[in-house]
Amino acid sequence: MVMAIGIILGGNLGNATALFLFLAPTITFRRIIRSKSTELFSGIPYVMTMLNCLLSAWYGMPFVSKNNILVSTINGTGAAIEVIYVLTFIIYAPKTEKAKFIGLLTLVLTTFAGVALVSLVVLHGKSREIFCGFAAAIFSIIMYGSPLSIMRTVIKTKSVEYMPFFLSLFVFLCGTSWFVFGLLGGDLFVSVPNGVGGGLGALQLILYFIYRNNKGEAKKPGAALPVHSMQMGIAKLHQQKELAANESHVDKV
């Protein structure tokens, strides 16, 4: 009885925190829509998160794994939200970036279709659950690991300017909640990747509290430009370096 209550509470809390996590990038996309440009933001995290949501929602379906309907509902919602982000990015991305991004999106959709088709036609029972579980777990870890470049920037610049507190908080809460849900339900494909996510979220929070008093004030002249990122929009460092080089050239002239 206690375990059942724990599973329900863990799943509901996981749903709530995951929803906040999926909605966190809305600030980034308001900026993109206002400026009618994707600027230096990368759309890769959004399309990869969409793939993770699709695979996780598929894994949670009753004909794939039992008692995981909460996994399907929140990830189905997340996939719908990510589709909006991806379409917005395609609309406002430059032509060269748009072509590459559409190519990546095609690859992602093909990957999901391939996993779904193999699991339906070739696999059955436990083998279907294991196959889909591994696919969902791998891409969950990739999604949770996407802010690692931001963490490196925080350590390098000793500034949390580009690592929003609430994003880090919801990564920690979401990962921890689903870790507990998977642990109590005996589902390693839910507990392991979300345990990794909870751990990474905790590291982000630790970094935030270490450098919380420095939000860009102590940048030294000549220091490397930080990753220009809001929420999960991870910027492209090489483009920033080119901008910095151009500015330096103009100053010399």
Side-chain angles (χ1 to χ4, degrees):
M1 181 67 178
V2 174
M3 183 172 290
I5 294 174
I7 292 174
I8 294 172
L9 289 176
N12 287 330
L13 181 58
N15 276 347
T17 53
L19 183 60
F20 281 115
L21 183 62
F22 293 140
L23 292 174
T26 53
I27 297 175
T28 298
F29 281 89
R30 280 202 299 267
R31 171 173 171 171
I32 288 174
I33 293 171
R34 280 200 302 266
S35 63
K36 296 183 179 180
S37 170
T38 56
E39 301 178 21
L40 297 178
F41 294 112
S42 170
I44 293 176
Y46 307 104
V47 75
M48 295 308 294
T49 301
M50 184 183 74
L51 176 58
N52 167 65
C53 289
L54 289 172
L55 290 172
S56 295
W58 184 257
Y59 171 71
M61 297 298 287
F63 54 82
V64 176
S65 64
K66 296 179 180 179
N67 303 319
N68 275 327
I69 194 64
L70 287 175
V71 176
S72 281
T73 53
I74 187 58
N75 281 286
T77 302
I81 293 172
E82 296 301 325
V83 165
I84 296 173
Y85 295 154
V86 168
L87 291 177
T88 302
F89 199 90
I90 290 175
I91 292 172
Y92 293 107
K95 288 184 178 180
T96 54
E97 292 296 318
K98 188 177 297 187
K100 294 178 183 177
F101 190 69
I102 291 175
L104 176 62
L105 177 60
T106 303
L107 178 62
V108 161
L109 293 177
T110 302
T111 300
F112 171 69
V115 170
L117 187 63
V118 169
S119 66
L120 283 177
V121 177
V122 180
L123 304 173
H124 304 280
K126 195 65 177 179
S127 59
R128 175 187 290 171
E129 180 181 348
I130 293 173
F131 175 73
C132 294
F134 265 116
I138 289 170
F139 283 97
S140 289
I141 292 174
I142 291 174
M143 181 192 76
Y144 279 124
S146 60
L148 285 174
S149 61
I150 302 176
M151 294 169 65
R152 285 196 297 268
T153 301
V154 170
I155 294 172
K156 188 174 182 179
T157 63
K158 302 186 187 304
S159 168
V160 295
E161 183 178 5
Y162 296 99
M163 189 175 72
F165 171 74
F166 285 106
L167 178 63
S168 301
L169 177 63
F170 287 129
V171 166
F172 170 71
L173 292 176
C174 179
T176 303
S177 301
W178 283 111
F179 169 73
V180 172
F181 175 84
L183 197 63
L184 293 177
D187 193 331
L188 292 176
F189 295 125
V190 174
S191 62
V192 172
N194 284 288
V196 172
L200 290 173
L203 288 177
Q204 291 179 53
L205 290 175
I206 290 171
L207 284 177
Y208 190 92
F209 281 105
I210 291 174
Y211 300 115
R212 66 185 183 281
N213 294 323
N214 185 0
K215 295 188 177 181
E217 299 91 339
K219 294 177 185 175
K220 296 180 181 179
L225 262 71
V227 179
H228 189 85
S229 170
M230 293 180 66
Q231 278 64 47
M232 294 186 71
I234 300 176
K236 303 168 186 176
L237 287 170
H238 69 278
Q239 290 188 9
Q240 287 190 316
K241 290 177 181 177
E242 289 177 1
L243 287 174
N246 291 336
E247 290 176 0
S248 176
H249 179 70
V250 170
D251 291 340
K252 289 180 180 179
V253 173

